[in-house]
Amino acid sequence: MEPLEALREAGRIAAKVRDTVVKEVRPGARVIDLCDRTEALIRELGAQPAFPTNVDIDQVAAHYCSPLGDTSTVPERSLVKLDVGVHVEGYIADTAITACFDPGLRYLVEAAEAGLKAAMNTMRPGISASDVGSAIEQAIRGRGAKPIRNLTGHKLARYVVHAGESIPNVAGHDYHVLAEGEVYAVEPFAVPPTAEGLVMDGPQSNIYRFMKKRSLEGEAKRMLKHVQEQHRTLPFASRWVMRGFQTPTAAGSFSQLLSAKCIMSYPQLVERSRAKVAQAEHTVILTSDGCEITTA
Ligand code: MN
Ligand code: MN
């Protein structure tokens, strides 16, 4: 498949899965079911998850996915971010939507969506990332909310979710200039105006990434080979690996990969003032005079 074709296919599948599963997010729903359902649907549609489905509740802005045996459920009056990653032959689509179960927080969802729309209207070759951040910030503040300033959108490359350059959610942070053909995920996050508007590292996320090969023995060796072959440089869930290795020693072997630094663990990203967070995200390709949204 041509790269452009694969990017568009990944985008179509990601959008379809996002819009299907968000309707199943409701108070009482099990988080693990939402993660499994999203990932099964991606595979059914002929693609692969580019990263584990993130189901981020309230003050958790990013990077939570269910471990095996997760009993957590969607709380009443919550804000739930469903963040979906799809790849077709390594070409990635990354998109997120927020489900809102508190009418008083609806403005945060609208602010994040307005920020995303403003970014889409601004992005074209020759524009600096800071100008995009400025458009996002103005749109979010215009809705009476505040952007999270230490979370950003990011460039995508084949099999790489964070390929170096960023798209900030505020003005004046990043002056790199956008170029035709580049692919970015753009993701504004909105919090109430009284919140700090910053995230910090929280507990572990159950999301991991391959780092380096080491000489290991037995099951740990097989597990590392499996992870490297299956996921390459893409993030993966411990839940996926545990299901592939249903042995009494699998958890121990997984810990061995971590302590040998063959894999790294991502922390959850939590709003510092514990404010509830809304997110919106699309993936775009820079065209000659604007951008094409692959996940619309
Ligand atoms: Mn995302
Ligand atoms: Mn992203």
Side-chain angles (χ1 to χ4, degrees):
M1 208 180 281
E2 289 291 309
L4 196 58
E5 207 184 315
L7 281 166
R8 286 174 175 153
E9 177 70 0
R12 269 194 298 274
I13 292 171
K16 186 166 184 187
V17 171
R18 175 198 67 209
D19 294 342
T20 303
V21 179
V22 74
K23 296 192 187 98
E24 298 163 20
V25 179
R26 59 179 72 91
R30 285 157 49 100
V31 173
I32 193 168
D33 291 343
L34 296 169
C35 293
D36 284 342
R37 167 91 167 115
T38 305
E39 293 153 8
L41 201 49
I42 291 168
R43 295 191 171 101
E44 246 170 65
L45 293 169
Q48 293 294 322
F51 50 79
T53 305
N54 290 210
V55 177
D56 299 306
I57 294 169
D58 291 336
Q59 70 274 9
V60 179
H63 292 173
Y64 182 81
C65 93
S66 286
L68 209 58
D70 192 5
T71 56
S72 63
T73 56
V74 172
E76 301 286 340
R77 305 179 69 79
S78 55
L79 266 187
V80 183
K81 283 75 69 187
L82 178 71
D83 196 328
V84 177
V86 170
H87 81 87
V88 171
E89 295 172 11
Y91 295 98
I92 298 169
D94 180 0
T95 183
I97 191 166
T98 301
C100 176
F101 304 104
D102 180 347
L105 299 175
R106 188 72 222 163
Y107 79 103
L108 294 178
V109 179
E110 285 163 7
E113 281 170 3
L116 183 56
K117 195 168 177 198
M120 309 286 93
N121 290 337
T122 307
M123 290 178 81
R124 60 181 151 81
I127 286 280
S128 85
S130 170
D131 292 337
V132 182
S134 171
I136 292 172
E137 179 170 12
Q138 280 181 43
I140 289 178
R141 290 192 188 274
R143 298 278 178 147
K146 190 180 200 174
I148 292 185
R149 61 188 183 277
N150 62 346
L151 283 175
T152 65
H154 46 99
K155 198 175 193 175
L156 294 165
R158 194 175 186 195
Y159 288 110
V160 185
V161 181
H162 286 261
E165 270 141 347
S166 304
I167 301 290
N169 291 319
V170 291
H173 268 249
D174 183 332
Y175 297 96
H176 93 270
V177 173
L178 310 188
E180 187 175 351
E182 290 179 332
V183 184
Y184 289 97
V186 184
E187 49 185 316
F189 292 80
V191 288
T194 51
E196 268 197 74
L198 284 171
V199 290
M200 58 180 187
D201 288 354
Q204 63 139 321
S205 65
N206 312 305
I207 302 172
Y208 300 86
R209 186 160 64 79
F210 173 81
M211 293 300 282
K212 60 169 183 273
K213 220 169 160 169
R214 283 249 186 132
S215 58
L216 298 164
E217 295 299 320
E219 187 178 52
K221 181 180 183 166
R222 291 199 304 280
M223 195 177 270
L224 184 62
K225 187 162 182 274
H226 168 86
V227 155
Q228 195 186 3
E229 284 173 0
Q230 289 293 309
H231 309 299
R232 301 196 193 197
T233 43
L234 294 172
F236 61 88
S238 51
R239 178 170 38 91
W240 301 347
V241 179
M242 291 306 143
R243 282 185 184 141
F245 285 78
Q246 293 188 346
T247 63
T249 50
S253 298
F254 195 83
S255 302
Q256 245 180 290
L257 301 191
L258 260 179
S259 54
K261 296 192 164 58
C262 297
I263 60 174
M264 59 94 62
S265 158
Y266 290 87
Q268 292 177 48
L269 299 174
V270 182
E271 212 282 333
R272 265 174 51 147
S273 51
R274 300 288 191 274
K276 294 192 179 186
V277 180
Q279 175 198 17
E281 180 174 25
H282 275 312
T283 295
V284 304
I285 305 168
L286 272 287
T287 57
S288 61
D289 62 348
C291 67
E292 173 185 332
I293 305 173
T294 66
T295 51

